[in-house]
Amino acid sequence: MNKFIIACLAFIITLHGAAQKGTIKGSVYDPIREVGLAAKIELLSSDSSLIQEQHTWWASDDNGRQDMKAPFWFRIGDVQGGKKYIVKIESDKYETKYIHITADFSNRDNIMDLGEVWMTRETSKMETVIVQGTRLLMVNKGDTTIYNVAALVTTESDMLGDLIQKLPGAELRNGKIYVNGKYIDKLLISGKDFFNGDISMALQQLPAYTVGKIKTYEMLGDASELTGYDMGDKQFVMDVIMKKQYFGQKFGEIVLAGGTNNRFKILGRLFYFDDQQSFGLVGETNNLGQSVHTFNSSQIWMNNNPVGNIYERSAYANYRFEPNRNFKFGMSGSVQHKREHTFQRTSVESYLESSNNYNWSYNQGRAVETTADMRLTMDYKPMKSLKLEGTYDFSFQKNYITDFSRSFSTLDNPDGMFSASSIDTVFTWHSDYDLLKRWVQTRQQQDALQRLHSQQHKGSISAKKAFGKNILSFDAEFNHNNSDDKGYNLFHLDYPVSGLDNDYRHRFNDKESKQYSINGTANYTIAFERGEPLTGWLKPFMKFRKDYTHSDNPLYRLDWAETDIVSDLVLLPTDLQVLLNTLDPANSFEYRQHINRFETGLDFRSDVRIGGKTWVRFNGKLPLEIWHGKLDYFRFNQPFHTDRTHRFVNLDLSARISLTPNDREGKKHTMSISYNIDNKVADLLNTLNFKDEANPLVITQGNPYLKNALTHNLKWEIKFEQQERMRHFSSRIHYAIINNAVGYERFYNLSTGVTTQTPKNIDGNWAINWANSFICPLKKNQQIILDGGLFWTYNHSKDLNTVYSLTETDKALNNNSVGTSQSKLRLRLLYKPTRKLLFNYQVESVWNNISGTRSDFKTINSYHINNVFSARMNLPCNFNFNSSLNVNSRYGFADKSLCKTYFLWNAKIERNLGKNITLSLESNDILHQNKGVSVVMDAQGRTETFREQTPPYVLLGFTWRFRKK
């Protein structure tokens, strides 16, 4: 009976909801920008007949101002309940949404809420407009720059990194992306961080054929999203929009390749992306010097081919779950095993009084490395005004390294002398050989082995809560490192010129270290207005950080042991007491270091309108930092202690003027200027008053009177944007002057070749940097695009190198300085005469100049010119061809064998057998001239290095792609 009554009541309630009229409401959002979206709403009957039509409207606050993050609402009234309807939602550049409903107004308010409706970008439609219409490479839409991938000539084997390097104004530096000189804070895939922040993985592993467009724009940060106002936390993002057909489908490929010089490559990829989740699996093994973690390409400014002979196996996995905008979870991990054989030759010149010092060396080594890492991330928004974030990272590393090296030093620079065979010849000379005794200061030979184990744990949490336009933030992070480093070394040193006794050492180092750090930040942002929406904010903050390091470094001299173990590099005495008897107290040490930092202050931003149209944005930071460090150090069987406390203010002020009227956000022409102070505390280890003679050729003396370095930075920038013509120009100047700069004062003993160095404070060091960059399409159809830049840096430093032969008076009067300048011109020309042909020319010219005020200082000029010619062609019969020729010229190097012009020619041809199979033939370094050469110059010397490269090869490859559309 009770069940019958309940059923009747339910039936009556249903009839009541069906009979009455009510309202259907909802809101419409853009899925990429996560902002409200203007749309047309139609209510259709079940047979698609139009009943009502309206448009979404933008919400306003209590004062009538529009909120940039508020939703676009719709309300359809006077709807008969109990009937079936279709809600049609249309917006330009988005796919039309059809929502089938049965009107139910049984609640108290007679309202049926459809909730948030997230639209889908209409990728194919935009491609039709941009690609088939004008075929422009770049298009500006508001503050968003859209790069049309279809306007580029690509091959089936191209990855995302290859695409980005072809974009005008874009470049890759050490795995980071820059566009027009501006750093990309985040790389998104169709609006979502599917690779959990791993940019290098996306560059290396996402196939180019899955990409429809690439966008760059500024995205609101967490604080702006929570408050609905621009809180100054925008991020410059690159959004890679995938083609629609690859969403909701698994796709991937298998690559098999083999060739000459025993080169091979085996690779497998599997990916899946949809609106809520993604996963990726990558496995690879090769001996081409290509890493699953690093993007490699021959289409780069400077030659960066793989170094040495490297065999690598690696695996990577990634998963991302994002069911809605309020919850995100990601996890990723990788395992890598690498074996590497290297050969390196180095020439070092140190600038001295009367005669420079030269050192030549070569190293042959073998390294086996195993690494593993894991990352977990989670974002959660339990309410619209609260966001919680958490991350955890774990990494493990294991190394086994063997190395054999030889080196010698002289006061002369014999042209043509430097080569591996000549170094070996110097070591074959008998100690009584006349040329050796007159010319070579030192000869050093080492045979070493190292075993290293380390692991790291890192976790962080963050919470942000908005109170209207204000926001409270908490951040905390924990980091813990452990390492165990065991090293064995056979060391032999002699002094032919001075005739000092030979120095032979058989050493075993057993180093253990532990580190941890804890830091936290709290701030409260207070927004304010002065007749304009959100004209500024104040942010009082507090920061705390604690660092602890414990390092134990016992050094054993096995050549002191009575047992006969000196002939074996890694043989240790079986008796522990025998080993302890070989402990070297002068070169064994242990220390504990505690560093605490507390900082409090005020950040602020204020937008001011001047003259009714010109906007000026002021930013500033007024902090007070208290730094306390304590170091307990034990060496020579005695303790050393230092304890320091510092208080300083690292002031940071800036102003940006919008040169375009009413351009509050500075998206067009702007000029900015900034000034900041940076205090750097001296390393406590350098302040201990003792002499370190672990390396007999480089003796280090501590300096207990070392002061903190203070740097004043002044920056100026001007930027011009012609969005309609896709032109960009920017010029930046950075001037820095350093008080109490810390540098090593070095005294060279000309007879023994021994260097004694002491950290000292220096006044008068300064530097200036001038950087200019531009993009300029030379034709309206962007068939020819020119981009590049001009860069110049100059560093003025005190000359700290001197010799023991100077008198104390000469040393006191030594006020010489060294000026180091570098001028760099970088140009790139993209020319696309047809849809299937793309030419690319790049040139980078570098001039290094070093001069000194010392009367006998020899001015040094070196030049490096790198030209890259490349072409990509889509040929008939499903053939694709790409080739690059790198012409690398060097002049003015101390090592004359490096002053040559090298030609690096790579080429690859592919044949597509249908959509899913590709055959390829690739040749690396066709002319056998690839040289791994680098040079580093500063005020105290220059270092020139040659590294063995991966040998030339020809590679035949087979690729099978599944689910390729």
Side-chain angles (χ1 to χ4, degrees):
M1 185 65 180
N2 290 336
K3 293 182 179 179
F4 176 74
I5 293 174
I6 293 173
C8 290
L9 290 174
F11 179 71
I12 292 172
I13 292 172
T14 303
L15 288 178
H16 174 72
Q20 66 182 351
K21 292 185 178 182
T23 300
I24 299 173
K25 76 171 187 177
S27 55
V28 183
Y29 284 90
D30 179 305
I32 306 301
R33 307 297 298 278
E34 295 191 358
V35 295
L37 182 65
K40 183 175 75 172
I41 312 298
E42 294 181 355
L43 181 66
L44 309 177
S45 64
S46 58
D47 60 358
S48 299
S49 299
L50 178 63
I51 299 175
Q52 290 190 45
E53 177 182 326
Q54 63 168 253
H55 290 80
T56 55
W57 46 276
W58 201 3
S60 302
D61 61 17
D62 295 337
N63 297 319
R65 291 186 293 263
Q66 290 182 324
D67 183 348
M68 58 186 294
K69 287 292 290 184
F72 277 69
W73 296 101
F74 64 86
R75 295 175 69 94
I76 307 173
D78 199 27
V79 179
Q80 183 67 47
K83 292 186 178 181
K84 294 184 177 181
Y85 297 96
I86 302 173
V87 179
K88 179 181 178 182
I89 305 176
E90 289 182 295
S91 185
D92 188 31
K93 309 302 182 186
Y94 294 84
E95 294 183 359
T96 301
K97 282 267 189 190
Y98 295 92
I99 304 175
H100 295 263
I101 64 170
T102 299
D104 181 7
F105 305 121
S106 57
N107 58 18
R108 185 176 60 183
D109 298 326
N110 295 335
I111 294 176
M112 183 176 181
D113 191 353
L114 300 184
E116 298 174 351
V117 179
W118 292 81
M119 303 295 283
T120 302
R121 293 291 182 99
E122 194 176 45
T123 305
S124 59
K125 184 176 180 180
M126 288 193 71
E127 287 178 354
T128 301
V129 174
I130 298 173
V131 180
Q132 297 181 2
T134 63
R135 296 197 179 278
L136 299 179
L137 175 57
M138 301 179 293
V139 175
N140 264 332
K141 290 186 175 293
D143 62 347
T144 301
T145 300
I146 304 175
Y147 297 93
N148 172 29
V149 172
L152 296 170
V153 178
T154 60
T155 64
E156 297 294 330
S157 60
D158 280 348
M159 295 292 119
L160 176 60
D162 297 292
L163 289 182
I164 291 176
Q165 290 193 128
K166 297 185 186 75
L167 303 180
E171 57 179 319
L172 298 178
R173 304 180 206 160
N174 301 319
K176 298 180 180 179
I177 307 173
Y178 294 82
V179 176
N180 299 331
K182 191 174 181 180
Y183 172 62
I184 294 292
D185 298 294
K186 186 178 292 186
L187 180 67
L188 305 178
I189 307 297
S190 293
K192 299 188 177 183
D193 186 12
F194 280 139
F195 282 90
N196 294 319
D198 193 341
I199 290 181
S200 62
M201 182 57 59
L203 295 175
Q204 177 79 339
Q205 301 300 337
L206 187 65
Y209 60 76
T210 65
V211 179
K213 295 182 296 296
I214 297 177
K215 301 181 179 182
T216 59
Y217 55 84
E218 288 187 329
M219 185 177 71
L220 298 174
D222 291 340
S224 299
E225 179 184 350
L226 293 173
T227 61
Y229 294 87
D230 182 3
M231 304 300 291
D233 60 346
K234 289 181 178 178
Q235 294 178 308
F236 189 43
V237 303
M238 176 174 284
D239 195 352
V240 179
I241 308 299
M242 295 186 64
K243 295 177 180 177
K244 180 181 176 181
Q245 57 266 37
Y246 292 102
F247 253 58
Q249 293 284 344
K250 297 183 182 69
F251 63 91
E253 60 188 26
I254 295 176
V255 179
L256 304 173
T260 59
N261 279 324
N262 298 317
R263 302 294 110 178
F264 72 90
K265 178 178 181 178
I266 302 173
L267 181 144
R269 298 186 180 100
L270 175 65
F271 291 106
Y272 176 84
F273 300 91
D274 65 24
D275 289 330
Q276 294 188 347
Q277 61 183 338
S278 70
F279 71 80
L281 297 172
V282 179
E284 180 175 7
T285 178
N286 70 76
N287 60 356
L288 306 177
Q290 298 178 357
S291 172
V292 71
H293 291 86
T294 307
F295 177 73
N296 298 306
S297 174
S298 60
Q299 306 298 323
I300 50 181
W301 287 111
M302 304 299 289
N303 180 22
N304 189 29
N305 270 30
V307 176
N309 287 296
I310 302 175
Y311 167 70
E312 181 177 333
R313 292 176 292 175
S314 54
Y316 171 85
N318 172 68
Y319 177 73
R320 180 83 171 180
F321 180 58
E322 193 171 336
N324 52 59
R325 60 184 304 200
N326 297 325
F327 181 78
K328 302 173 185 177
F329 173 78
M331 57 187 301
S332 60
S334 66
V335 179
Q336 184 180 43
H337 179 77
K338 181 166 63 175
R339 296 202 304 266
E340 180 177 3
H341 297 265
T342 59
F343 172 79
Q344 176 175 306
R345 198 171 71 232
T346 304
S347 170
V348 179
E349 178 182 5
S350 300
Y351 313 137
L352 302 177
E353 298 279 352
S354 70
S355 178
N356 289 351
N357 177 265
Y358 300 88
N359 181 275
W360 289 270
S361 65
Y362 79 83
N363 299 73
Q364 289 180 308
R366 181 173 67 92
V368 180
E369 179 183 76
T370 301
T371 60
D373 60 77
M374 178 186 69
R375 180 176 177 83
L376 300 174
T377 64
M378 187 178 71
D379 297 0
Y380 177 52
K381 287 180 63 177
M383 58 183 71
K384 288 186 177 181
S385 61
L386 176 62
K387 184 171 185 178
L388 306 174
E389 297 178 287
T391 64
Y392 170 72
D393 295 273
F394 169 78
S395 61
F396 169 82
Q397 181 176 352
K398 179 180 178 181
N399 292 79
Y400 182 90
I401 302 171
T402 59
D403 180 75
F404 176 76
S405 65
R406 282 179 168 176
S407 65
F408 69 92
S409 62
T410 74
L411 293 176
D412 298 308
N413 181 19
D415 291 348
M417 179 65 196
F418 184 56
S419 67
S421 59
S422 61
I423 293 181
D424 288 335
T425 300
V426 171
F427 277 83
T428 61
W429 290 344
H430 191 271
S431 58
D432 292 332
Y433 189 59
D434 184 62
L435 179 60
L436 179 69
K437 296 172 67 175
R438 286 188 293 107
W439 180 50
V440 178
Q441 291 178 303
T442 62
R443 291 187 304 180
Q444 178 180 306
Q445 178 172 299
Q446 292 194 71
D447 198 356
L449 180 146
Q450 181 186 22
R451 294 170 176 167
L452 172 66
H453 294 79
S454 66
Q455 62 181 15
Q456 180 183 36
H457 300 268
K458 183 178 180 180
S460 65
I461 56 174
S462 173
K464 296 179 176 68
K465 177 68 172 72
F467 300 92
K469 292 175 292 185
N470 304 331
I471 189 165
L472 179 65
S473 300
F474 292 98
D475 298 279
E477 182 178 284
F478 173 78
N479 195 346
H480 181 260
N481 297 285
N482 278 330
S483 67
D484 181 10
D485 186 358
K486 299 183 186 299
Y488 304 83
N489 178 274
L490 286 173
F491 175 89
H492 192 185
L493 172 67
D494 61 3
Y495 307 86
V497 172
S498 63
L500 296 176
D501 292 339
N502 292 352
D503 190 344
Y504 174 80
R505 306 185 184 191
H506 184 190
R507 298 177 288 194
F508 167 58
N509 183 267
D510 189 8
K511 177 182 178 181
E512 292 185 3
S513 64
K514 297 180 180 180
Q515 296 176 314
Y516 76 78
S517 65
I518 302 174
N519 63 80
T521 302
N523 60 70
Y524 185 69
T525 305
I526 306 168
F528 60 85
E529 300 178 353
R530 292 191 303 267
E532 302 280 353
L534 195 66
T535 53
W537 44 259
L538 299 174
K539 184 189 295 183
F541 66 87
M542 289 191 302
K543 296 181 179 179
F544 172 77
R545 180 182 177 97
K546 179 178 180 62
D547 294 272
Y548 170 77
T549 303
H550 174 222
S551 182
D552 188 11
N553 298 262
L555 179 67
Y556 301 93
R557 290 287 301 272
L558 302 184
D559 50 299
W560 293 352
E562 297 179 358
T563 56
D564 186 17
I565 60 173
V566 296
S567 60
D568 195 306
L569 181 63
V570 298
L571 183 62
L572 294 177
T574 55
D575 188 344
L576 179 60
Q577 186 59 46
V578 174
L579 178 63
L580 293 177
N581 290 337
T582 66
L583 182 68
D584 183 358
N587 297 308
S588 299
F589 61 91
E590 180 182 8
Y591 71 87
R592 288 178 171 85
Q593 180 175 269
H594 300 262
I595 295 178
N596 297 319
R597 301 179 181 93
F598 176 77
E599 184 179 355
T600 184
L602 181 70
D603 286 353
F604 69 87
R605 191 189 82 178
S606 178
D607 291 345
V608 179
R609 188 195 294 267
I610 300 177
K613 293 184 178 181
T614 302
W615 281 97
V616 181
R617 172 166 291 179
F618 296 95
N619 285 276
K621 183 177 182 180
L622 307 172
L624 171 64
E625 182 175 347
I626 301 174
W627 187 98
H628 177 254
K630 182 176 70 172
L631 175 63
D632 294 303
Y633 192 95
F634 186 84
R635 191 168 186 164
F636 308 106
N637 291 325
Q638 60 178 309
F640 296 85
H641 176 79
T642 184
D643 193 320
R644 291 190 171 195
T645 300
H646 304 283
R647 295 174 178 85
F648 40 74
V649 176
N650 289 327
L651 183 69
D652 192 344
L653 300 173
S654 66
R656 188 196 68 201
I657 303 173
S658 296
L659 304 179
T660 303
N662 299 316
D663 182 18
R664 177 175 173 178
E665 296 301 321
K667 295 178 180 178
K668 295 184 179 180
H669 309 328
T670 62
M671 182 175 65
S672 60
I673 187 170
S674 67
Y675 169 75
N676 70 72
I677 300 174
D678 182 24
N679 286 271
K680 186 175 181 180
V681 178
D683 189 340
L684 293 181
L685 289 171
N686 287 334
T687 65
L688 298 178
N689 189 20
F690 67 83
K691 184 179 293 186
D692 184 352
E693 298 179 300
N695 184 347
L697 291 180
V698 181
I699 300 172
T700 302
Q701 173 67 54
N703 181 4
Y705 305 104
L706 210 56
K707 301 177 183 178
N708 299 337
L710 174 64
T711 304
H712 299 267
N713 293 290
L714 181 63
K715 299 178 183 179
W716 173 88
E717 179 179 6
I718 190 166
K719 182 182 69 173
F720 294 96
E721 299 279 357
Q722 286 187 317
Q723 295 184 352
E724 67 281 0
R725 297 187 178 183
M726 298 305 302
R727 292 179 178 176
H728 163 86
F729 172 78
S730 66
S731 181
R732 297 181 295 275
I733 296 177
H734 177 198
Y735 173 75
I737 185 169
I738 308 174
N739 297 328
N740 292 321
V742 178
Y744 277 97
E745 184 179 48
R746 293 185 173 94
F747 289 94
Y748 287 83
N749 190 315
L750 297 181
S751 61
T752 64
V754 176
T755 301
T756 301
Q757 60 182 17
T758 304
K760 290 289 184 70
N761 288 115
I762 314 151
D763 285 329
N765 283 10
W766 57 271
I768 188 169
N769 175 278
W770 183 32
N772 304 272
S773 61
F774 70 91
I775 300 176
C776 181
L778 301 183
K779 286 190 174 184
K780 289 185 178 181
N781 62 2
Q782 299 179 7
Q783 193 177 38
I784 304 177
I785 300 176
L786 179 67
D787 72 307
L790 178 64
F791 311 89
W792 177 72
T793 60
Y794 180 82
N795 290 277
H796 178 273
S797 306
K798 186 176 180 181
D799 187 356
L800 296 180
N801 288 348
T802 187
V803 297
Y804 276 115
S805 60
L806 294 181
T807 65
E808 292 301 321
T809 302
D810 292 333
K811 294 176 183 178
L813 295 175
N814 182 17
N815 194 29
N816 296 319
S817 62
V818 176
T820 305
S821 69
Q822 182 182 85
S823 302
K824 181 185 297 184
L825 173 66
R826 177 181 293 177
L827 294 173
R828 175 169 59 176
L829 183 68
L830 290 172
Y831 174 49
K832 186 182 179 185
T834 69
R835 291 180 55 190
K836 298 184 178 182
L837 183 61
L838 176 67
F839 293 104
N840 183 9
Y841 169 68
Q842 303 173 136
V843 60
E844 182 172 275
S845 177
V846 180
W847 170 41
N848 291 293
N849 173 270
I850 299 180
S851 59
T853 59
R854 198 175 66 220
S855 59
D856 60 344
F857 193 98
K858 297 179 181 178
T859 300
I860 297 173
N861 289 284
S862 69
Y863 308 89
H864 190 179
I865 303 174
N866 194 52
N867 294 273
V868 179
F869 305 86
S870 64
R872 287 175 170 264
M873 309 175 190
N874 297 143
L875 303 174
C877 302
N878 292 324
F879 278 97
N880 297 311
F881 175 77
N882 70 81
S883 180
S884 66
L885 176 63
N886 188 322
V887 183
N888 209 329
S889 303
R890 302 180 182 90
Y891 311 94
F893 281 42
D895 181 359
K896 300 303 179 183
S897 66
L898 305 181
C899 297
K900 294 180 180 180
T901 297
Y902 302 98
F903 296 85
L904 175 60
W905 181 20
N906 297 332
K908 185 175 184 178
I909 188 168
E910 298 177 347
R911 171 69 191 282
N912 298 324
L913 305 179
K915 290 184 177 181
N916 299 323
I917 296 178
T918 299
L919 299 179
S920 63
L921 184 65
E922 175 183 358
S923 182
N924 178 74
D925 191 14
I926 298 174
L927 303 178
H928 295 206
Q929 293 191 15
N930 185 29
K931 305 294 180 183
V933 177
S934 64
V935 59
V936 177
M937 296 186 178
D938 57 29
Q940 295 182 309
R942 61 176 171 176
T943 302
E944 300 161 1
T945 304
F946 162 83
R947 294 180 177 88
E948 180 185 26
Q949 303 290 286
T950 299
Y953 60 82
V954 177
L955 204 66
L956 178 64
F958 168 85
T959 302
W960 174 60
R961 299 177 178 86
F962 47 93
R963 299 287 177 87
K964 184 177 184 298
K965 305 294 183 178

